Amino acid sequence: MLQIANLTKHYGQSQKGITDLTLQVMPGDIFAFIGHNGAGKTTALKCVSGIHGFDEGEILVDGISMNDNPMECKRRFAYIPDNPDLYEYLTGIQYLNFVADVFQISAREREERIAAFAADFEITGALGDLISSYSHGMKQKLAIISALIHEPKLLILDEPFVGLDPKAAVILKNKMRDVCASGGAVFFSTHVLDVAEKLCNKVAIIKDGRMVITGDMNLIVKEGQSLEDIFMEVACDAERG
Amino acid sequence: MLREVKILAKLSLANIYGLNTFRYSKDKKEKNRKRLLICAYVFLLLTAVLYVSALSIGLCTLGLSKILPAYLVGISSLIMVFFGFFKAGPVLFEKKGLDILKSLPVSETHIVISRFIRLYVENLFLGIIVLMPGVIVYGYMVKPGAEFYLVGFAAALFIPIIPLVIATFAGGLITYIASKVRHKSIISTILSLILVVCIFAGTSMISRVEGQLNDEMLQDMALIIEDVFSKVYPPALWMGNAMIGKGAADCLLCFFVSILIMTLTVWVVSRKFDEIVDGLSRSYSRGDYEIQSLESSSVLGTLYKKELKRYLASSIYVTNTIIGPVLGVVMSAAILIGGVDTFISDVPLPFDIEGVIPFVLAATFCMMPTTCTSISMEGKEWWIVKSLPISSKTVLDSKILFNLSLSLPMLMVAQCLMIIAFKPAGASLVWMILIPVLMLVFSCVWGIAVNLKIPVFNWENEVTVVKQSASAAIGGLGGAAIAIVLALISAFVPDELDTAVKAGICIVVAILTTMLYIRNNKVDLKTL
């Protein structure tokens, strides 16, 4: 579903960014992307979602090159940033309608999907209000609905649980599982290691822009260990090494 | 009290004109953008210095040197009111970072004073730009004593205060009224436009008084200008006269009054501060929405609608970009109502005025196109368009289309009025229609090209983009400047070459527009 090969992206002359990142997200995967603050997670996600260009490497979404055919790639995924800066001058429903227009979803389908997702996340009543009046959590819910509206094959999420209330977090986890059950995949960054351990079947840990470990969750986290133990171990090893 | 104000003022002044960002940013692109902005500022500064110097030399040569200091104080005050009006509300009642400030042991008065200090420093800088060349010219041509420079220095420190108070009350009152209503942006836009048109009408009335003067009245000109100042803005006269050794008491009174009204203004704003800030950030939510039938649009259509809503949500964006077209229509209506003959006698020029009217119209409509800031106005929401499957061409087309749909109808109205007034025939009629339309399309595409080159996305306040960005300065004034240059070329071309030159101009503008448009569409938005 998503192949990242030798991805390198640096900001100007600085060493900040990512170097030679390689990973693969298969259909059905819920893939956790973990690292310290400033490790390069957001940079990698922004390269994958076409927001940033990159210096070297290749990104394939469903076998299509991000460099050669970004429009086709973007039709297949949805991205939600760590901070949901949405068009504050639109109402919630206008924003969802805007996204539905971009993906050319028929009027009937968008009405059905918006009604269902908005009911799930309990924000139907607020959809007529300006986004500027929303709390952080409500904006996050709206961003999630807008990401699900075109039934993407790949969900790319940057810290998706921040600001969500416990019920919304459970609903989001279920939606992530639904995407995977229908043959799609989810690639997301998080600092909540407990959630990653329970929810994901694959994990990658990066430090200072370089991959330090990646693979199946159950192979990396052995019996009697937690993802937190592995993260601390790997992070400290990388610091020593 | 002083310690708190000093700390807050230091914070408020830290990033004045983006200097702190320029100093510490490690982003090469950001640094280059700032360098370009500095170049644009230097260009505008040189233009202002040249204009003031020429005006000062002119007044001294005409024997009107004694009115020059008052004139300089008057001009600088007017500029301060105009710029301060747009900035006062956003700077004084800025919500960003206020929660953190209010959690610290500082009062509203401390915050308000520190923000006034920032506005004062900006006004002081504007005042120095206007005063300095005039003072140098006066010093060189009149050779006054040390008293002139001493009073001038003191006056320079006090000049910004009264304009700042006027701008605060005008801008603050509009902000206060807007904070009380649901449609803040619309109310704020309408009130701002009314005020700006009033300022333009007022200044044109003053220049009309001067325009009607003839040679015989030259000796009385100083008295007439003094009379105008005494009626419109007496402090300019008091400070100006004190600089040339007359009426020191009036000047001292003026200094005293400045301090008094500033203190009162700080007191009033401090008292209303929380109410206005809360009112501005208050959002009206109903929470009773039910899913209704939704309309679908094309991608271009939905982007266009988004542009329209973005535009209407920002009063400063609207005021800044609509003023050119509004003035174009008002000017055309004034010429039609006042009569072409009156207009020609009021503006005696050594060439056929009808021949340059298409360029004059073009200049007003090319002034500040929305496209020169519309990419920057996406701000932190720019990721949305970049991550969605929308081509660069569609995004940029929607911005051009919006600009044209805003300006073109007003241009057509202005053209109709001009055609009725001047009654052009044959080729003149073609130029009257074709040249402004071509120039308008060029300015839209030019605005996009400039904004693509020097966008600013990490802004906190719209004023930063609309008023203070390099893109607004270069993209906004570029089209108008080109129209003025073309007007000058056209004005001094012999009659027999007029048609050929104007046809040539049209072809060149059309080719340039097409080339720029193709080049813009090749830009990969993810590189911004």
Side-chain angles (χ1 to χ4, degrees):
Chain A
M1 184 60 59
L2 171 67
Q3 279 176 278
I4 302 174
N6 311 109
L7 184 70
T8 299
K9 158 82 184 171
H10 286 183
Y11 294 98
Q13 302 292 321
S14 72
Q15 287 303 303
K16 208 177 158 195
I18 43 174
T19 309
D20 201 25
L21 192 76
T22 298
L23 59 84
Q24 197 165 9
V25 182
M26 301 299 288
D29 281 350
I30 302 185
F31 198 121
F33 196 39
I34 294 165
H36 290 290
N37 291 328
K41 302 184 297 293
T42 297
T43 301
L45 294 182
K46 283 185 173 177
C47 289
V48 171
S49 55
I51 292 173
H52 282 346
F54 44 91
D55 307 327
E56 286 169 38
E58 177 71 287
I59 295 170
L60 299 178
V61 177
D62 206 14
I64 302 164
S65 166
M66 192 68 192
N67 262 342
D68 298 341
N69 200 344
M71 289 299 116
E72 274 311 308
C73 290
K74 288 177 183 180
R75 283 195 184 95
R76 285 163 166 75
F77 68 69
Y79 166 75
I80 303 176
D82 52 349
N83 201 0
D85 290 310
L86 307 176
Y87 299 129
E88 302 225 323
Y89 47 87
L90 296 184
T91 63
I93 192 69
Q94 284 170 339
Y95 178 68
L96 295 176
N97 212 29
F98 164 77
V99 177
D101 278 337
V102 170
F103 285 99
Q104 293 293 287
I105 299 163
S106 72
R108 194 180 56 79
E109 274 180 314
R110 74 178 69 176
E111 281 164 31
E112 283 172 10
R113 288 177 196 171
I114 290 171
F117 293 139
D120 287 346
F121 285 102
E122 298 177 334
I123 62 162
T124 308
L127 286 181
D129 299 329
L130 284 173
I131 296 174
S132 56
S133 70
Y134 286 17
S135 66
H136 183 281
M138 284 167 77
K139 283 181 192 169
Q140 186 72 355
K141 288 177 183 177
L142 190 72
I144 293 166
I145 296 172
S146 72
L148 295 169
I149 205 168
H150 68 287
E151 298 185 334
K153 285 187 172 179
L154 175 64
L155 274 178
I156 304 163
L157 315 172
D158 197 353
E159 295 288 349
F161 298 105
V162 174
L164 287 184
D165 57 60
K167 190 178 174 188
V170 170
I171 294 166
L172 175 60
K173 285 177 209 166
N174 290 335
K175 297 287 175 203
M176 289 160 85
R177 289 188 187 105
D178 290 348
V179 170
C180 294
S182 60
V186 180
F187 181 46
F188 76 104
S189 73
T190 184
H191 287 300
V192 191
L193 300 183
D194 289 347
V195 170
E197 191 177 343
K198 285 177 192 157
L199 185 67
C200 304
N201 63 323
K202 283 191 182 160
V203 63
I205 301 175
I206 65 164
K207 183 171 168 55
D208 297 332
R210 290 177 185 275
M211 181 77 78
V212 285
I213 193 166
T214 182
D216 285 359
M217 186 70 80
N218 53 12
L219 293 177
I220 289 173
V221 183
K222 306 264 169 37
E223 192 71 33
Q225 280 185 313
S226 68
L227 184 58
E228 195 175 82
D229 297 332
I230 303 296
F231 180 76
M232 293 307 290
E233 201 178 290
V234 167
C236 293
D237 277 353
E239 267 168 24
R240 279 195 293 270
Chain B
M1 169 91 167
L2 262 176
R3 197 177 67 89
E4 286 91 346
V5 169
K6 203 175 150 187
I7 294 167
L8 291 177
K10 209 173 148 189
L11 181 76
S12 186
L13 289 169
N15 205 29
I16 195 167
Y17 301 117
L19 289 176
N20 209 46
T21 318
F22 181 70
R23 191 174 164 196
Y24 292 108
S25 174
K26 288 184 177 131
D27 184 348
K28 222 174 166 184
K29 275 186 183 172
E30 174 78 31
K31 286 232 172 199
N32 285 337
R33 278 197 288 269
K34 288 284 173 206
R35 283 192 189 103
L36 255 170
L37 181 61
I38 290 167
C39 289
Y41 277 147
V42 169
F43 174 74
L44 290 175
L45 192 133
L46 286 176
T47 312
V49 167
L50 274 174
Y51 174 76
V52 176
S53 304
L55 181 90
S56 306
I57 292 168
L59 283 176
C60 288
T61 312
L62 286 169
L64 299 169
S65 56
K66 65 173 186 172
I67 202 67
L68 178 61
Y71 209 100
L72 293 172
V73 176
I75 291 176
S76 55
S77 301
L78 187 70
I79 293 171
M80 287 174 199
V81 170
F82 188 74
F83 283 98
F85 160 69
F86 285 108
K87 289 206 78 176
V91 170
L92 284 174
F93 306 111
E94 168 75 74
K95 175 93 170 126
K96 191 87 184 173
L98 193 61
D99 290 345
I100 292 175
L101 280 186
K102 290 181 85 171
S103 70
L104 299 172
V106 291
S107 69
E108 280 81 15
T109 310
H110 296 143
I111 297 169
V112 168
I113 294 174
S114 69
R115 291 181 175 190
F116 266 119
I117 288 173
R118 183 196 161 141
L119 289 168
Y120 170 81
V121 169
E122 289 186 356
N123 266 6
L124 186 66
F125 185 64
L126 268 177
I128 288 170
I129 291 171
V130 176
L131 277 181
M132 195 62 85
V135 165
I136 291 169
V137 168
Y138 188 88
Y140 180 75
M141 295 184 80
V142 181
K143 298 190 173 43
E147 185 191 293
F148 169 78
Y149 297 102
L150 277 173
V151 179
F153 178 74
L157 296 176
F158 281 90
I159 288 168
I161 297 177
I162 296 175
L164 180 55
V165 170
I166 296 170
T168 301
F169 274 103
L173 187 69
I174 289 173
T175 311
Y176 180 74
I177 295 168
S179 73
K180 297 280 174 195
V181 295
R182 181 173 180 149
H183 300 288
K184 297 176 177 57
S185 177
I186 295 170
I187 297 296
S188 178
T189 303
I190 293 168
L191 293 174
S192 302
L193 271 176
I194 291 170
L195 196 95
V196 172
V197 170
C198 286
I199 290 176
F200 273 102
T203 48
S204 76
M205 274 168 67
I206 294 172
S207 57
R208 244 181 114 77
V209 171
E210 292 164 39
Q212 287 164 352
L213 295 171
N214 53 39
D215 290 344
E216 290 81 49
M217 293 167 75
L218 200 58
Q219 57 272 31
D220 298 327
M221 194 188 259
L223 287 173
I224 292 170
I225 295 175
E226 274 185 14
D227 187 49
V228 170
F229 275 126
S230 66
K231 283 175 186 159
V232 178
Y233 190 63
L237 205 59
W238 298 337
M239 290 196 204
N241 283 345
M243 284 165 77
I244 55 169
K246 285 184 354 186
D250 283 345
C251 185
L252 283 174
L253 181 70
C254 185
F255 289 174
F256 175 73
V257 169
S258 297
I259 293 169
L260 186 70
I261 60 168
M262 190 71 239
T263 311
L264 278 171
T265 307
V266 169
W267 182 75
V268 171
V269 173
S270 301
R271 275 178 65 92
K272 291 280 173 192
F273 185 72
D274 278 341
E275 192 185 330
I276 296 175
V277 172
D278 289 346
L280 285 175
S281 56
R282 188 183 305 130
S283 48
Y284 294 82
S285 52
R286 296 164 63 99
D288 58 355
Y289 181 80
E290 286 174 18
I291 304 284
Q292 296 147 3
S293 61
L294 299 169
E295 275 181 30
S296 57
S297 309
S298 65
V299 179
L300 184 64
T302 203
L303 283 169
Y304 176 86
K305 282 192 249 176
K306 178 187 83 69
E307 284 298 312
L308 175 66
K309 293 203 169 80
R310 176 70 193 92
Y311 187 70
L312 295 177
S314 168
S315 68
I316 190 158
Y317 192 19
V318 177
T319 318
N320 205 48
T321 52
I322 202 88
I323 199 71
V326 166
L327 287 177
V329 173
V330 169
M331 178 185 73
S332 308
I335 291 174
L336 178 66
I337 294 164
V340 174
D341 294 337
T342 317
F343 174 65
I344 291 172
S345 63
D346 272 0
V347 193
L349 292 169
F351 50 79
D352 171 28
I353 190 90
E354 192 187 325
V356 295
I357 282 291
F359 295 103
V360 174
L361 265 186
T364 54
F365 281 83
C366 292
M367 199 191 293
M368 216 46 88
T370 58
T371 51
C372 71
T373 47
S374 59
I375 296 170
S376 297
M377 286 299 276
E378 298 264 352
K380 287 174 183 155
E381 293 137 7
W382 185 227
W383 69 270
I384 299 173
V385 167
K386 285 168 90 176
S387 68
L388 290 172
I390 311 171
S391 67
S392 303
K393 183 179 176 299
T394 314
V395 173
L396 303 181
D397 280 354
S398 70
K399 294 182 186 297
I400 293 172
L401 195 65
F402 173 70
N403 196 153
L404 287 175
S405 69
L406 182 77
S407 304
L408 205 54
M410 294 172 82
L411 174 61
M412 286 161 76
V413 170
Q415 283 176 317
C416 288
L417 295 171
M418 285 292 196
I419 289 168
I420 297 168
F422 282 93
K423 300 181 181 62
S428 299
L429 179 63
V430 173
W431 304 138
M432 188 74 93
I433 295 167
L434 194 61
I435 290 172
V437 172
L438 274 177
M439 284 301 298
L440 175 64
V441 178
F442 169 77
S443 75
C444 295
V445 178
W446 162 260
I448 291 281
V450 173
N451 204 190
L452 279 172
K453 201 81 187 158
I454 36 177
V456 186
F457 295 112
N458 57 347
W459 48 268
E460 301 294 347
N461 195 316
E462 288 161 349
V463 177
T464 316
V465 176
V466 177
K467 287 268 169 213
Q468 296 168 345
S469 66
S471 183
I474 300 168
L477 301 174
I482 292 168
I484 291 166
V485 170
L486 293 177
L488 289 172
I489 293 170
S490 168
F492 295 102
V493 157
D495 282 352
E496 59 273 19
L497 291 176
D498 186 64
T499 302
V501 168
K502 280 181 177 150
I505 286 172
C506 286
I507 292 166
V508 170
V509 170
I511 292 171
L512 269 177
T513 307
T514 311
M515 283 167 63
L516 263 182
Y517 178 75
I518 293 168
R519 193 172 165 274
N520 289 347
N521 289 340
K522 284 182 183 164
V523 174
D524 186 351
L525 298 184
K526 72 169 177 271
T527 59
L528 303 184

